[in-house]
Amino acid sequence: MSDRITEQVAGLDATAQAELVRLGDVSSRELVEGAIERIERLNPQLNAVIHKLYDRARRVAEGSLPDGPFRGVPFLFKDLGGGDSEGDPCHLGTRFLRDAGWKAPGTSFLVRRFREAGLVDVGRTNVPELGAWTTTESEAYGPTRNPWSPGHSSGGSSGGSAAAVAAGMVPAAHANDGGGSIRIPASACGLVGLKPSRGRVSLGPAVGDTWAGMVHEFAVTRSVRDCAALLDAVSGPMPGDPYTAPPPRGPFAEELSAELRPQRVGLLVESPAAAVHADCVAACEVAARALADLGHRLEPVSALPLGAEEDAERILDVIAAGQARDVERYAQVLGRELGPDDLDCDNWTVTERGQQLSATDYLAGVEALNHATRAAASWWDERELDVLLTPTLPAPPAQIGELVADPAHPMQGFERSGAFTAFTIPFNVTGQPAISLPLHWTVAGLPVGVQLVARYGREDLLLSLAAGLEAALPWSDRRPPVW
């Protein structure tokens, strides 16, 4: 492709790129070569892609690709969780797996489904150590920088994926979310980020659930239509899943053009867990006016019945237990003990907390999550809400280094990072679907996302509302300085 055509293709979403391949205007190999060129040119500025799988991507692009909806479109997988692909590097942002040259022993159901959709994997993206933080700044691989302002964080833990998509390296990328890790980087980088309902996308076969059902797998995209079509491609139960979401009414992609009755939308812009920046309130006001113009009913609501100090401690117990088990599992496969010299200071502190918990402590944490979920469901019913509108983040993107721990105060970074989950982690607890949309930018040019949340199993409603907002407040022509 010429440089002009390459630039034009880079600005297209995955659906449009796949259409070019179907029409024969561009080959899969050309799309892949364009993505490789952009990664090589932009990655030195952003540090988004840490494992490059170019030779295999070229072979796959020239081979017999599945005739899926995204046939021939380049894609990236996050180096954590459901991005596992047998024989490929898998380091979870850790020095100990990097130094061991660890490779994934198996391929996840999710990777198989993305590939069956026709996507071509060109590499793996950067993550914070063990995926534990809301900024992507590991000691193993260094910080991923935000394409809108390289002095700022791209968010976490899917910060590498978000930076790559926002910069135009690829049109979409894998991401996962245990406390906001799809929605937070989507907000920070000006993307669409959907956390599906619990059980909508399988975590198998290596995992049944993670963090007592708080972790969800999916992607970050530039358009709502890509989000819907990708969800159609990868959702649905797999053998052995411990639970699954209710079947959708029909293809999610068809919801984008479906007629939608007026919805009752609750507007929540305060949290007991964090002070909310004026730009984040302004973003919600922009979204609220647009929804009202579309015929929906807006009403202010009070804080969710989740976020008390006791709830936060129980959530941390569940996360710490899961992290301690991860560290134990990798110590077993590496054949050596892992200690404080192997992890950053706050991750080791959280791991030690998990090691000291009893089985009954962990189960008490799970019980607390269940109680909080039922309280949230009752709160929703009492107010007869269809949808909740909140900021995605309580503040614009943090600066690089702002959320990193000081060894003298090992939990300080964790606590600062945790404050960024004030509006996101409640819906990891409840399992409800939530989507972040790029509807506002600060005067300095930083993206600020807004979050829409629906009842459990109602991704269809979120996608329909998101499509209306995308049409009313389009973002597709916006380009970051690093593009």
Side-chain angles (χ1 to χ4, degrees), residues 25-335:
D25 294 339
V26 171
S27 71
S28 301
R29 175 65 184 263
E30 286 176 311
L31 286 185
V32 166
E33 289 294 348
I36 291 171
E37 184 278 327
R38 293 189 295 276
I39 293 169
E40 288 298 294
R41 174 163 48 89
L42 300 172
N43 204 55
Q45 299 173 70
L46 300 177
N47 191 32
V49 181
I50 57 172
H51 306 310
K52 299 172 181 179
L53 305 173
Y54 298 161
D55 290 342
R56 187 182 67 197
R58 292 177 173 119
R59 291 195 302 271
V60 169
E62 291 181 337
S64 180
L65 281 166
D67 191 22
F70 296 102
R71 185 172 181 270
V73 175
F75 194 73
L76 290 161
F77 283 102
K78 179 178 176 178
D79 192 33
L80 179 79
D84 280 4
S85 172
E86 184 175 0
D88 288 338
C90 175
H91 298 162
L92 286 69
T94 66
R95 288 173 284 117
F96 60 83
L97 290 178
R98 179 201 63 188
D99 296 346
W102 181 253
K103 292 179 169 42
T107 300
S108 71
F109 290 147
L110 179 60
V111 168
R112 293 180 200 172
R113 281 184 161 169
F114 276 130
R115 288 174 175 168
E116 288 166 0
L119 293 161
V120 181
D121 171 16
V122 297
R124 296 287 181 276
T125 60
N126 201 5
V127 299
E129 187 177 87
L130 298 176
W133 315 120
T134 56
T135 184
T136 300
E137 301 181 54
S138 72
E139 293 180 14
Y141 285 101
T144 293
R145 297 180 178 274
N146 194 317
W148 295 92
S149 172
H152 286 80
S153 169
S154 61
S157 63
S158 306
S161 289
V165 174
M169 297 180 188
V170 293
H174 163 244
N176 42 39
D177 191 315
S181 291
I182 290 174
R183 293 157 289 160
I184 290 168
S187 177
C189 292
L191 300 175
V192 178
L194 171 69
K195 181 198 76 66
S197 295
R198 179 176 294 139
R200 179 70 70 200
V201 177
S202 176
L203 276 61
V207 174
D209 72 1
T210 301
W211 294 358
M214 289 175 60
V215 173
H216 306 69
E217 296 280 350
F218 190 42
V220 287
T221 67
R222 288 198 215 122
S223 68
V224 175
R225 69 175 183 174
D226 278 0
C227 185
L230 280 170
L231 191 59
D232 281 326
V234 303
S235 64
M238 293 297 285
D241 284 352
Y243 36 70
T244 185
R249 301 186 307 176
F252 291 113
E254 293 182 1
E255 298 293 339
L256 307 189
S257 57
E259 186 175 348
L260 187 63
R261 66 171 176 81
Q263 301 292 304
R264 189 170 184 178
V265 181
L267 176 61
L268 176 65
V269 294
E270 295 181 351
S271 169
V276 182
H277 192 279
D279 272 306
C280 301
V281 175
C284 285
E285 291 171 345
V286 167
R289 286 193 296 270
L291 287 169
D293 289 344
L294 291 169
H296 304 295
R297 293 174 293 161
L298 275 293
E299 59 182 75
V301 296
S302 57
L304 285 166
L306 180 68
E309 187 173 340
E310 183 178 350
D311 288 331
E313 288 298 311
R314 290 304 191 183
I315 290 170
L316 181 54
D317 282 348
V318 170
I319 293 172
Q323 185 163 301
R325 174 57 187 147
D326 285 341
V327 170
E328 179 182 67
R329 181 168 58 252
Y330 283 107
Q332 290 168 347
V333 299
L334 293 176

